[in-house]
Amino acid sequence: MSVVEGKELRIVGFLCNWCSYGGADTAGVSRFKQPTDLRIIRVPCSGRVDPLFVVKALINGADGVLVSGCHPRDCHYSDGNYYARRRLEMLKRFLPFVGIDARRFHYTWVSASEGQRWQQTVTEFTTLIHELGPTPAFPQDQTVLKEVRA
Amino acid sequence: MNIEKLKEIVRTVLPSVDVVIGYKKGLDALHPVPCFVTSPDEIDALVLNPACTHNLAAYLPSLKKKTAVVVKGCESRTVVQLVQEGLIKRENVVVIGVPCQGVLSARKVLNAINHQPVVEAAFENDAVIVKTRKAETRLALNDVASDKCLTCQYPTPVLSDHLAGEQVESKVDEQAAYQDIRQFDAQSLEERRAYWLKEFDRCIRCYACRNACPMCVCRESCIAETRDPHWMSQKATLNEKMMFHMIHAIHLAGRCTECGECERACPMGIPVAKLKKKINMEMKELFGYEPGISIDDKPPMYTFKVEEEKIEEHKIR
Protein backbone atom coordinates (compact mmCIF):
# COMPACT_ATOMS: atom_id res chain seq x y z
CA MET A 1 0.00 0.00 0.00
CA SER A 2 1.25 3.38 -0.89
CA VAL A 3 1.65 5.62 2.13
CA VAL A 4 0.80 8.49 -0.14
CA GLU A 5 -2.85 8.60 -1.12
CA GLY A 6 -3.98 8.28 -4.70
CA LYS A 7 -2.63 6.52 -7.75
CA GLU A 8 0.78 4.95 -7.56
CA LEU A 9 3.43 6.72 -9.65
CA ARG A 10 6.59 5.41 -11.19
CA ILE A 11 9.76 6.36 -9.38
CA VAL A 12 13.02 4.76 -10.36
CA GLY A 13 15.73 4.35 -7.74
CA PHE A 14 19.36 3.63 -8.53
CA LEU A 15 20.89 2.32 -5.32
CA CYS A 16 24.49 1.52 -4.58
CA ASN A 17 24.86 -2.14 -3.61
CA TRP A 18 27.14 -1.40 -0.66
CA CYS A 19 25.27 1.39 1.14
CA SER A 20 21.86 2.51 0.05
CA TYR A 21 20.65 -0.89 -1.06
CA GLY A 22 21.69 -2.16 2.37
CA GLY A 23 20.04 0.90 3.91
CA ALA A 24 16.80 0.08 2.15
CA ASP A 25 17.13 -3.49 3.40
CA THR A 26 17.72 -2.25 6.94
CA ALA A 27 14.57 -0.15 6.66
CA GLY A 28 12.66 -3.23 5.53
CA VAL A 29 14.05 -5.49 8.26
CA SER A 30 13.18 -2.84 10.84
CA ARG A 31 9.64 -2.80 9.41
CA PHE A 32 9.61 0.93 8.70
CA LYS A 33 6.57 1.84 6.68
CA GLN A 34 7.53 3.07 3.18
CA PRO A 35 5.66 4.13 0.05
CA THR A 36 5.70 1.54 -2.70
CA ASP A 37 6.08 3.82 -5.73
CA LEU A 38 9.83 3.29 -5.89
CA ARG A 39 11.25 0.61 -8.21
CA ILE A 40 14.78 -0.13 -7.12
CA ILE A 41 17.61 -0.89 -9.53
CA ARG A 42 20.70 -2.14 -7.74
CA VAL A 43 23.98 -0.83 -9.12
CA PRO A 44 27.50 -1.75 -7.99
CA CYS A 45 28.32 1.85 -7.11
CA SER A 46 26.75 5.27 -7.55
CA GLY A 47 29.68 5.88 -9.91
CA ARG A 48 28.03 3.34 -12.20
CA VAL A 49 25.07 5.67 -12.69
CA ASP A 50 25.43 7.34 -16.04
CA PRO A 51 23.50 10.65 -16.08
CA LEU A 52 21.88 9.28 -19.22
CA PHE A 53 20.22 6.51 -17.15
CA VAL A 54 18.35 9.28 -15.38
CA VAL A 55 17.58 11.18 -18.58
CA LYS A 56 16.31 8.08 -20.33
CA ALA A 57 14.04 7.21 -17.42
CA LEU A 58 12.63 10.74 -17.24
CA ILE A 59 12.09 11.09 -20.99
CA ASN A 60 10.40 7.72 -21.24
CA GLY A 61 7.84 8.34 -18.56
CA ALA A 62 9.32 7.93 -15.08
CA ASP A 63 7.73 10.40 -12.70
CA GLY A 64 10.82 10.69 -10.55
CA VAL A 65 14.36 9.36 -10.30
CA LEU A 66 16.25 8.88 -7.07
CA VAL A 67 19.95 8.07 -7.01
CA SER A 68 21.50 7.09 -3.72
CA GLY A 69 25.05 6.06 -2.92
CA CYS A 70 27.54 5.93 -0.09
CA HIS A 71 28.38 9.08 1.83
CA PRO A 72 31.44 10.88 0.47
CA ARG A 73 34.60 9.26 1.91
CA ASP A 74 32.72 5.96 2.40
CA CYS A 75 32.73 4.60 -1.15
CA HIS A 76 33.39 0.86 -1.32
CA TYR A 77 35.62 1.55 -4.33
CA SER A 78 37.13 4.59 -2.60
CA ASP A 79 36.16 7.27 -5.18
CA GLY A 80 33.14 6.20 -7.23
CA ASN A 81 30.72 8.50 -5.49
CA TYR A 82 32.98 11.53 -5.99
CA TYR A 83 32.66 11.11 -9.75
CA ALA A 84 28.94 10.49 -9.35
CA ARG A 85 28.56 13.72 -7.39
CA ARG A 86 30.07 15.79 -10.19
CA ARG A 87 28.07 14.13 -12.93
CA LEU A 88 24.77 14.19 -11.12
CA GLU A 89 25.20 17.81 -10.08
CA MET A 90 25.87 18.71 -13.71
CA LEU A 91 22.72 16.83 -14.69
CA LYS A 92 20.59 18.44 -12.02
CA ARG A 93 21.56 21.87 -13.28
CA PHE A 94 21.07 20.87 -16.91
CA LEU A 95 17.61 19.29 -16.72
CA PRO A 96 15.55 22.51 -16.30
CA PHE A 97 17.21 23.89 -19.45
CA VAL A 98 15.37 21.33 -21.58
CA GLY A 99 12.17 21.73 -19.63
CA ILE A 100 12.42 18.83 -17.20
CA ASP A 101 11.63 19.73 -13.60
CA ALA A 102 14.87 19.26 -11.62
CA ARG A 103 12.80 18.39 -8.54
CA ARG A 104 11.88 15.11 -10.21
CA PHE A 105 15.50 14.06 -9.90
CA HIS A 106 17.17 13.76 -6.53
CA TYR A 107 20.50 12.34 -5.51
CA THR A 108 21.57 11.68 -1.97
CA TRP A 109 23.78 9.56 0.27
CA VAL A 110 22.44 6.86 2.61
CA SER A 111 24.60 4.30 4.40
CA ALA A 112 23.68 0.67 5.09
CA SER A 113 22.89 1.39 8.74
CA GLU A 114 20.66 4.38 8.07
CA GLY A 115 17.31 2.61 7.72
CA GLN A 116 15.54 5.55 9.28
CA ARG A 117 17.17 8.04 6.93
CA TRP A 118 16.24 5.85 3.99
CA GLN A 119 12.61 5.74 5.07
CA GLN A 120 12.55 9.52 5.42
CA THR A 121 14.17 10.05 2.03
CA VAL A 122 11.78 7.76 0.19
CA THR A 123 8.71 9.10 1.94
CA GLU A 124 9.63 12.73 1.39
CA PHE A 125 10.60 12.18 -2.23
CA THR A 126 7.49 10.17 -3.01
CA THR A 127 5.29 12.81 -1.39
CA LEU A 128 6.95 15.49 -3.49
CA ILE A 129 6.48 13.51 -6.70
CA HIS A 130 2.82 13.00 -5.84
CA GLU A 131 2.47 16.74 -5.38
CA LEU A 132 4.07 17.32 -8.77
CA GLY A 133 1.85 14.67 -10.32
CA PRO A 134 2.59 12.46 -13.33
CA THR A 135 5.40 13.69 -15.57
CA PRO A 136 4.26 15.48 -18.75
CA ALA A 137 4.82 12.87 -21.44
CA PHE A 138 7.18 13.19 -24.37
CA PRO A 139 5.21 12.05 -27.40
CA GLN A 140 6.18 8.46 -28.11
CA ASP A 141 4.19 7.87 -31.27
CA GLN A 142 4.66 9.19 -34.78
CA THR A 143 1.86 11.71 -34.52
CA VAL A 144 3.46 14.81 -33.19
CA LEU A 145 1.73 17.37 -31.04
CA LYS A 146 -0.37 19.56 -33.26
CA GLU A 147 0.17 22.69 -31.21
CA VAL A 148 3.92 22.13 -31.44
CA ARG A 149 3.89 22.11 -35.24
CA ALA A 150 1.48 25.02 -35.50
CA MET B 1 42.52 37.28 -41.65
CA ASN B 2 45.56 37.86 -43.78
CA ILE B 3 45.78 35.45 -46.70
CA GLU B 4 49.23 36.55 -47.89
CA LYS B 5 50.70 36.04 -44.43
CA LEU B 6 49.01 32.66 -44.26
CA LYS B 7 50.41 31.52 -47.62
CA GLU B 8 53.86 32.61 -46.52
CA ILE B 9 53.57 30.55 -43.34
CA VAL B 10 52.24 27.54 -45.23
CA ARG B 11 55.20 27.80 -47.61
CA THR B 12 57.69 27.64 -44.74
CA VAL B 13 55.81 24.93 -42.86
CA LEU B 14 55.00 22.60 -45.77
CA PRO B 15 58.45 20.93 -46.13
CA SER B 16 58.37 19.76 -42.50
CA VAL B 17 54.87 18.23 -42.55
CA ASP B 18 52.94 15.68 -44.64
CA VAL B 19 49.88 17.81 -45.20
CA VAL B 20 48.57 21.30 -44.47
CA ILE B 21 44.83 21.67 -43.98
CA GLY B 22 43.33 25.00 -45.02
CA TYR B 23 40.41 26.29 -47.06
CA LYS B 24 39.85 26.65 -50.79
CA LYS B 25 37.01 27.98 -52.89
CA GLY B 26 33.92 25.80 -52.88
CA LEU B 27 30.72 25.80 -54.90
CA ASP B 28 30.28 29.53 -54.34
CA ALA B 29 31.95 32.35 -52.45
CA LEU B 30 29.92 31.64 -49.33
CA HIS B 31 30.98 28.02 -49.06
CA PRO B 32 34.73 27.49 -48.98
CA VAL B 33 35.70 23.87 -48.48
CA PRO B 34 38.59 22.19 -46.66
CA CYS B 35 41.74 21.91 -48.72
CA PHE B 36 44.57 19.44 -48.17
CA VAL B 37 47.82 20.94 -49.37
CA THR B 38 50.63 18.49 -49.99
CA SER B 39 52.75 20.27 -52.61
CA PRO B 40 53.88 23.92 -52.98
CA ASP B 41 51.91 24.52 -56.21
CA GLU B 42 48.66 23.94 -54.33
CA ILE B 43 49.32 26.78 -51.93
CA ASP B 44 47.89 29.45 -54.22
CA ALA B 45 44.48 27.78 -54.09
CA LEU B 46 44.17 28.64 -50.41
CA VAL B 47 41.58 31.19 -49.36
CA LEU B 48 40.87 32.78 -46.01
CA ASN B 49 37.84 34.91 -45.25
CA PRO B 50 34.92 35.05 -42.81
CA ALA B 51 33.08 32.41 -44.86
CA CYS B 52 35.69 29.81 -43.86
CA THR B 53 33.70 28.17 -41.11
CA HIS B 54 34.71 24.50 -40.96
CA ASN B 55 36.53 23.32 -37.90
CA LEU B 56 39.58 21.78 -39.57
CA ALA B 57 40.87 20.41 -36.29
CA ALA B 58 38.14 17.79 -36.57
CA TYR B 59 40.32 15.92 -39.09
CA LEU B 60 43.24 15.55 -36.71
CA PRO B 61 42.30 12.41 -34.73
CA SER B 62 41.78 10.35 -37.89
CA LEU B 63 44.89 11.57 -39.76
CA LYS B 64 47.92 9.49 -38.91
CA LYS B 65 50.30 12.00 -40.47
CA LYS B 66 52.26 14.98 -39.36
CA THR B 67 49.75 17.72 -40.03
CA ALA B 68 49.67 21.49 -40.05
CA VAL B 69 46.21 22.87 -39.53
CA VAL B 70 44.74 26.35 -39.95
CA VAL B 71 42.66 27.24 -36.91
CA LYS B 72 40.74 30.21 -35.56
CA GLY B 73 40.30 30.93 -31.86
CA CYS B 74 37.55 28.44 -31.06
CA GLU B 75 39.17 25.74 -33.17
CA SER B 76 42.51 26.15 -31.43
CA ARG B 77 40.62 25.19 -28.29
CA THR B 78 39.59 21.99 -30.07
CA VAL B 79 43.26 21.21 -30.73
CA VAL B 80 44.09 21.82 -27.07
CA GLN B 81 41.22 19.64 -25.92
CA LEU B 82 42.21 16.81 -28.29
CA VAL B 83 45.80 16.92 -27.03
CA GLN B 84 44.59 17.12 -23.45
CA GLU B 85 42.54 13.95 -23.86
CA GLY B 86 45.39 12.11 -25.58
CA LEU B 87 43.50 11.80 -28.87
CA ILE B 88 46.29 13.44 -30.85
CA LYS B 89 49.96 14.03 -30.11
CA ARG B 90 51.16 17.60 -29.80
CA GLU B 91 54.37 16.86 -31.71
CA ASN B 92 52.38 15.63 -34.71
CA VAL B 93 50.51 18.88 -35.14
CA VAL B 94 51.69 22.26 -36.32
CA VAL B 95 49.11 24.85 -35.39
CA ILE B 96 48.74 27.80 -37.75
CA GLY B 97 46.61 30.27 -35.83
CA VAL B 98 44.37 32.83 -37.49
CA PRO B 99 43.04 35.68 -35.34
CA CYS B 100 39.37 35.94 -36.21
CA GLN B 101 36.78 38.71 -36.24
CA GLY B 102 33.88 36.29 -36.48
CA VAL B 103 32.68 33.97 -39.21
CA LEU B 104 29.54 34.06 -41.31
CA SER B 105 26.53 31.92 -40.84
CA ALA B 106 25.73 30.89 -44.42
CA ARG B 107 22.16 30.33 -43.32
CA LYS B 108 21.79 33.91 -42.10
CA VAL B 109 23.34 35.34 -45.26
CA LEU B 110 21.08 33.28 -47.51
CA ASN B 111 18.05 34.37 -45.51
CA ALA B 112 19.10 37.99 -45.94
CA ILE B 113 19.42 37.67 -49.74
CA ASN B 114 16.28 35.59 -50.12
CA HIS B 115 18.17 32.43 -51.08
CA GLN B 116 19.35 33.75 -54.45
CA PRO B 117 22.40 32.05 -55.97
CA VAL B 118 25.54 33.91 -54.95
CA VAL B 119 27.73 35.08 -57.82
CA GLU B 120 30.40 36.83 -55.87
CA ALA B 121 31.20 37.96 -52.35
CA ALA B 122 33.63 40.54 -51.09
CA PHE B 123 34.72 40.80 -47.50
CA GLU B 124 35.52 43.98 -45.63
CA ASN B 125 36.55 44.43 -42.06
CA ASP B 126 33.07 44.48 -40.59
CA ALA B 127 30.85 43.81 -43.57
CA VAL B 128 30.28 41.40 -46.39
CA ILE B 129 29.07 42.42 -49.84
CA VAL B 130 27.13 39.65 -51.51
CA LYS B 131 26.44 39.85 -55.21
CA THR B 132 23.62 37.85 -56.76
CA ARG B 133 22.52 38.01 -60.37
CA LYS B 134 19.87 40.55 -59.44
CA ALA B 135 21.35 42.69 -56.74
CA GLU B 136 24.28 43.58 -54.59
CA THR B 137 23.70 43.53 -50.84
CA ARG B 138 25.91 44.91 -48.13
CA LEU B 139 25.48 43.06 -44.84
CA ALA B 140 27.06 44.02 -41.53
CA LEU B 141 29.18 41.15 -40.25
CA ASN B 142 27.51 41.40 -36.86
CA ASP B 143 24.09 40.71 -38.37
CA VAL B 144 25.13 37.62 -40.28
CA ALA B 145 27.83 36.22 -37.99
CA SER B 146 27.45 32.78 -36.44
CA ASP B 147 25.79 32.84 -33.05
CA LYS B 148 28.93 31.52 -31.41
CA CYS B 149 30.87 34.59 -32.60
CA LEU B 150 28.52 37.02 -30.90
CA THR B 151 29.75 35.96 -27.47
CA CYS B 152 33.24 34.77 -28.46
CA GLN B 153 35.85 35.06 -25.72
CA TYR B 154 38.83 33.71 -27.63
CA PRO B 155 39.11 35.36 -31.07
CA THR B 156 42.89 34.86 -31.02
CA PRO B 157 43.99 31.20 -30.93
CA VAL B 158 44.96 30.04 -27.45
CA LEU B 159 47.61 27.78 -28.93
CA SER B 160 49.58 28.43 -32.09
CA ASP B 161 53.01 27.74 -33.54
CA HIS B 162 52.54 30.41 -36.20
CA LEU B 163 50.13 33.31 -36.09
CA ALA B 164 48.83 34.73 -39.38
CA GLY B 165 47.88 38.25 -38.40
CA GLU B 166 47.63 40.56 -35.44
CA GLN B 167 46.11 39.53 -32.10
CA VAL B 168 42.42 40.35 -31.74
CA GLU B 169 40.80 41.26 -28.44
CA SER B 170 37.39 39.88 -27.55
CA LYS B 171 34.59 42.35 -28.12
CA VAL B 172 32.42 40.82 -25.45
CA ASP B 173 33.29 41.04 -21.79
CA GLU B 174 33.42 37.90 -19.72
CA GLN B 175 30.21 38.64 -17.85
CA ALA B 176 28.19 38.73 -21.06
CA ALA B 177 29.57 35.47 -22.47
CA TYR B 178 26.65 33.40 -21.24
CA GLN B 179 24.02 36.10 -21.42
CA ASP B 180 21.94 34.27 -24.04
CA ILE B 181 21.82 31.14 -21.89
CA ARG B 182 20.81 33.10 -18.80
CA GLN B 183 18.07 34.79 -20.75
CA PHE B 184 16.79 31.45 -21.97
CA ASP B 185 16.89 30.05 -18.45
CA ALA B 186 14.79 32.95 -17.19
CA GLN B 187 11.77 31.46 -18.97
CA SER B 188 9.32 29.18 -17.21
CA LEU B 189 9.77 25.43 -17.31
CA GLU B 190 6.81 25.03 -19.66
CA GLU B 191 8.17 27.61 -22.09
CA ARG B 192 11.56 25.92 -22.22
CA ARG B 193 9.93 22.53 -22.68
CA ALA B 194 7.72 23.81 -25.48
CA TYR B 195 10.72 25.45 -27.15
CA TRP B 196 12.75 22.28 -27.24
CA LEU B 197 9.82 20.07 -28.27
CA LYS B 198 9.28 22.37 -31.20
CA GLU B 199 12.97 22.39 -32.13
CA PHE B 200 13.55 18.66 -31.70
CA ASP B 201 10.39 17.88 -33.62
CA ARG B 202 12.25 19.01 -36.77
CA CYS B 203 15.18 16.68 -36.10
CA ILE B 204 15.49 14.05 -38.81
CA ARG B 205 18.07 12.03 -36.87
CA CYS B 206 20.66 12.38 -39.61
CA TYR B 207 23.37 12.66 -36.93
CA ALA B 208 25.14 15.39 -38.90
CA CYS B 209 25.69 17.28 -35.63
CA ARG B 210 27.47 14.31 -34.16
CA ASN B 211 29.49 13.59 -37.29
CA ALA B 212 30.64 17.19 -37.56
CA CYS B 213 31.55 17.40 -33.89
CA PRO B 214 35.34 17.33 -33.45
CA MET B 215 34.98 16.03 -29.90
CA CYS B 216 32.64 13.14 -30.78
CA VAL B 217 35.29 10.47 -31.04
CA CYS B 218 33.44 7.22 -30.29
CA ARG B 219 32.95 6.63 -34.04
CA GLU B 220 31.23 3.30 -34.71
CA SER B 221 30.65 2.59 -31.02
CA CYS B 222 28.45 5.65 -30.49
CA ILE B 223 25.67 4.54 -28.17
CA ALA B 224 23.08 6.23 -30.37
CA GLU B 225 23.66 3.46 -32.91
CA THR B 226 24.95 0.38 -31.11
CA ARG B 227 22.53 -2.48 -30.57
CA ASP B 228 24.44 -3.71 -27.57
CA PRO B 229 23.81 -1.78 -25.38
CA HIS B 230 20.57 -0.80 -27.04
CA TRP B 231 20.09 2.74 -25.80
CA MET B 232 17.78 3.94 -28.53
CA SER B 233 15.38 2.54 -31.09
CA GLN B 234 15.20 3.83 -34.65
CA LYS B 235 11.74 5.30 -34.29
CA ALA B 236 11.42 8.90 -35.40
CA THR B 237 9.55 9.91 -32.27
CA LEU B 238 10.13 12.97 -30.15
CA ASN B 239 11.36 11.09 -27.11
CA GLU B 240 14.02 9.33 -29.18
CA LYS B 241 15.12 12.56 -30.83
CA MET B 242 15.30 14.23 -27.46
CA MET B 243 17.31 11.32 -26.08
CA PHE B 244 19.81 11.56 -28.92
CA HIS B 245 20.47 15.22 -28.24
CA MET B 246 20.80 14.53 -24.53
CA ILE B 247 23.42 11.88 -25.31
CA HIS B 248 25.37 14.31 -27.46
CA ALA B 249 25.19 17.11 -24.92
CA ILE B 250 26.03 15.04 -21.86
CA HIS B 251 28.89 13.21 -23.53
CA LEU B 252 30.38 16.63 -24.25
CA ALA B 253 30.05 17.84 -20.68
CA GLY B 254 33.23 19.74 -19.85
CA ARG B 255 34.70 18.93 -23.28
CA CYS B 256 32.83 21.11 -25.77
CA THR B 257 35.00 23.88 -27.16
CA GLU B 258 32.03 25.76 -28.62
CA CYS B 259 33.18 25.69 -32.24
CA GLY B 260 29.52 25.55 -33.30
CA GLU B 261 30.03 22.80 -35.88
CA CYS B 262 26.97 20.88 -34.66
CA GLU B 263 24.73 23.85 -35.30
CA ARG B 264 26.32 24.67 -38.66
CA ALA B 265 25.98 21.08 -39.86
CA CYS B 266 22.33 20.75 -38.85
CA PRO B 267 20.21 20.73 -42.03
CA MET B 268 17.12 21.61 -40.02
CA GLY B 269 18.56 24.63 -38.24
CA ILE B 270 18.12 23.30 -34.72
CA PRO B 271 20.12 25.35 -32.19
CA VAL B 272 21.88 22.32 -30.73
CA ALA B 273 24.97 24.23 -29.63
CA LYS B 274 22.84 25.93 -26.99
CA LEU B 275 22.60 22.70 -25.00
CA LYS B 276 26.36 22.37 -24.86
CA LYS B 277 26.85 26.00 -24.00
CA LYS B 278 24.51 25.62 -21.06
CA ILE B 279 26.59 22.74 -19.71
CA ASN B 280 29.77 24.74 -20.29
CA MET B 281 28.29 27.59 -18.29
CA GLU B 282 27.60 25.23 -15.41
CA MET B 283 31.11 23.78 -15.66
CA LYS B 284 32.52 27.26 -15.32
CA GLU B 285 30.33 28.05 -12.34
CA LEU B 286 30.90 24.73 -10.58
CA PHE B 287 34.54 24.06 -11.30
CA GLY B 288 35.88 27.29 -12.77
CA TYR B 289 36.76 25.28 -15.85
CA GLU B 290 36.65 26.09 -19.54
CA PRO B 291 37.41 23.35 -22.06
CA GLY B 292 40.37 23.69 -24.39
CA ILE B 293 42.32 26.43 -22.65
CA SER B 294 45.33 24.57 -21.29
CA ILE B 295 46.86 21.25 -22.31
CA ASP B 296 47.67 20.35 -18.71
CA ASP B 297 44.09 20.66 -17.43
CA LYS B 298 41.87 17.68 -16.85
CA PRO B 299 38.22 17.69 -17.95
CA PRO B 300 36.12 18.18 -14.80
CA MET B 301 34.16 14.96 -15.30
CA TYR B 302 37.38 12.91 -15.34
CA THR B 303 38.46 14.05 -11.93
CA PHE B 304 37.09 15.08 -8.53
CA LYS B 305 37.82 16.81 -5.25
CA VAL B 306 37.05 15.20 -1.91
CA GLU B 307 35.55 18.49 -0.75
CA GLU B 308 33.71 20.21 -3.59
CA GLU B 309 33.51 23.92 -2.90
CA LYS B 310 30.51 24.64 -5.08
CA ILE B 311 28.42 21.48 -4.72
CA GLU B 312 26.08 21.46 -1.77
CA GLU B 313 23.95 18.59 -0.66
CA HIS B 314 20.42 18.92 -2.00
CA LYS B 315 17.33 18.88 0.13
CA ILE B 316 14.33 17.13 -1.41
CA ARG B 317 12.43 20.40 -1.13
Side-chain angles (χ1 to χ4, degrees):
Chain A
M1 276 289 285
S2 180
V3 179
V4 184
E5 291 304 314
K7 189 176 172 282
E8 193 166 280
L9 295 175
R10 277 178 297 187
I11 302 173
V12 182
F14 293 97
L15 306 196
C16 149
N17 175 44
W18 303 100
C19 297
S20 302
Y21 196 82
D25 196 35
T26 309
V29 169
S30 321
R31 297 184 168 269
F32 295 145
K33 210 172 174 193
Q34 296 172 46
T36 52
D37 307 48
L38 186 79
R39 320 292 155 90
I40 294 174
I41 297 172
R42 180 163 66 150
V43 288
C45 173
S46 50
R48 174 67 183 88
V49 180
D50 189 326
L52 289 168
F53 290 175
V54 179
V55 174
K56 182 154 171 127
L58 287 172
I59 288 182
N60 289 300
D63 300 303
V65 177
L66 178 63
V67 178
S68 185
C70 305
H71 287 277
R73 297 177 196 276
D74 283 351
C75 179
H76 184 77
Y77 305 102
S78 80
D79 49 16
N81 54 0
Y82 294 132
Y83 289 105
R85 183 168 58 185
R86 286 200 158 193
R87 290 173 197 155
L88 297 173
E89 180 65 23
M90 176 271 292
L91 181 68
K92 193 153 173 89
R93 286 163 174 246
F94 177 58
L95 284 177
F97 192 75
V98 288
I100 298 174
D101 196 335
R103 286 176 298 175
R104 292 190 185 274
F105 163 57
H106 183 64
Y107 72 98
T108 186
W109 323 115
V110 174
S111 84
S113 59
E114 294 175 321
Q116 193 84 49
R117 181 179 155 92
W118 175 253
Q119 184 213 18
Q120 272 171 13
T121 307
V122 179
T123 314
E124 252 183 71
F125 189 62
T126 311
T127 316
L128 175 71
I129 297 299
H130 273 267
E131 278 168 27
L132 295 174
T135 192
F138 285 92
Q140 297 196 16
D141 51 23
Q142 301 280 353
T143 54
V144 177
L145 299 172
K146 277 212 184 83
E147 67 269 27
V148 165
R149 284 240 164 112
Chain B
M1 296 202 164
N2 187 336
I3 181 66
E4 291 314 317
K5 185 99 193 278
L6 177 70
K7 284 181 183 167
E8 194 185 306
I9 291 170
V10 173
R11 231 167 248 128
T12 54
V13 166
L14 191 57
S16 62
V17 297
D18 296 318
V19 59
V20 179
I21 317 178
Y23 304 92
K24 66 179 176 191
K25 193 171 177 291
L27 68 130
D28 67 30
L30 282 185
H31 297 89
V33 291
C35 166
F36 293 74
V37 177
T38 48
S39 76
D41 44 316
E42 292 165 325
I43 292 177
D44 278 328
L46 287 174
V47 298
L48 188 66
N49 57 45
C52 299
T53 49
H54 297 73
N55 185 348
L56 301 176
Y59 289 110
L60 295 176
S62 56
L63 279 180
K64 302 279 174 257
K65 292 174 178 170
K66 182 148 179 157
T67 314
V69 62
V70 176
V71 293
K72 301 180 282 290
C74 46
E75 297 150 6
S76 71
R77 291 175 64 189
T78 306
V79 178
V80 170
Q81 191 64 26
L82 289 169
V83 175
Q84 194 192 100
E85 293 181 21
L87 296 162
I88 55 173
K89 290 206 174 94
R90 179 67 183 93
E91 61 269 23
N92 287 342
V93 187
V94 177
V95 183
I96 305 173
V98 180
C100 164
Q101 303 273 12
V103 294
L104 296 182
S105 155
R107 189 172 282 118
K108 285 187 190 173
V109 176
L110 288 174
N111 280 342
I113 59 170
N114 212 8
H115 293 264
Q116 294 298 310
V118 175
V119 180
E120 220 182 296
F123 300 94
E124 286 174 13
N125 230 354
D126 53 354
V128 51
I129 297 151
V130 186
K131 217 165 149 186
T132 61
R133 250 175 294 178
K134 286 180 188 153
E136 197 177 285
T137 322
R138 188 190 163 89
L139 301 159
L141 192 56
N142 250 354
D143 296 338
V144 287
S146 286
D147 285 343
K148 62 170 179 179
C149 304
L150 301 177
T151 54
C152 177
Q153 295 293 300
Y154 299 95
T156 308
V158 292
L159 172 83
S160 59
D161 300 313
H162 305 272
L163 200 60
E166 297 296 310
Q167 300 242 346
V168 178
E169 292 295 317
S170 172
K171 286 174 253 173
V172 189
D173 72 50
E174 215 179 316
Q175 303 301 317
Y178 294 105
Q179 207 174 19
D180 48 338
I181 302 297
R182 290 211 177 84
Q183 258 166 24
F184 185 83
D185 253 343
Q187 298 178 85
S188 77
L189 210 57
E190 286 73 30
E191 282 169 325
R192 282 177 278 179
R193 187 186 141 83
Y195 175 86
W196 285 113
L197 284 185
K198 190 174 172 187
E199 295 295 334
F200 289 148
D201 179 35
R202 290 205 304 280
C203 176
I204 52 174
R205 287 185 69 181
C206 65
Y207 298 162
C209 48
R210 180 202 66 184
N211 296 346
C213 178
M215 298 315 299
C216 264
V217 286
C218 299
R219 302 294 162 212
E220 65 280 355
S221 37
C222 175
I223 62 164
E225 281 173 316
T226 55
R227 292 294 161 85
D228 185 21
H230 199 176
W231 272 87
M232 293 173 62
S233 79
Q234 288 182 306
K235 284 183 194 157
T237 54
L238 251 175
N239 61 331
E240 296 284 352
K241 294 172 184 178
M242 176 107 178
M243 189 64 204
F244 169 72
H245 290 286
M246 295 300 110
I247 291 174
H248 193 183
I250 286 177
H251 279 181
L252 284 170
R255 305 172 61 233
C256 172
T257 55
E258 295 178 33
C259 66
E261 283 291 270
C262 44
E263 209 163 296
R264 182 184 65 79
C266 180
M268 306 306 282
I270 302 169
V272 278
K274 227 182 210 174
L275 297 170
K276 289 126 207 172
K277 198 171 173 189
K278 160 71 179 175
I279 297 187
N280 267 3
M281 178 178 110
E282 297 301 346
M283 289 296 124
K284 195 162 183 201
E285 269 176 34
L286 281 173
F287 311 116
Y289 178 85
E290 276 182 287
I293 302 303
S294 152
I295 287 176
D296 304 320
D297 279 347
K298 224 172 172 191
M301 292 290 133
Y302 295 11
T303 179
F304 64 84
K305 279 186 191 160
V306 175
E307 300 289 341
E308 300 281 2
E309 292 102 14
K310 295 281 176 65
I311 303 180
E312 279 171 28
E313 208 165 313
H314 291 279
K315 297 246 176 353
I316 289 178
R317 339 174 153 252

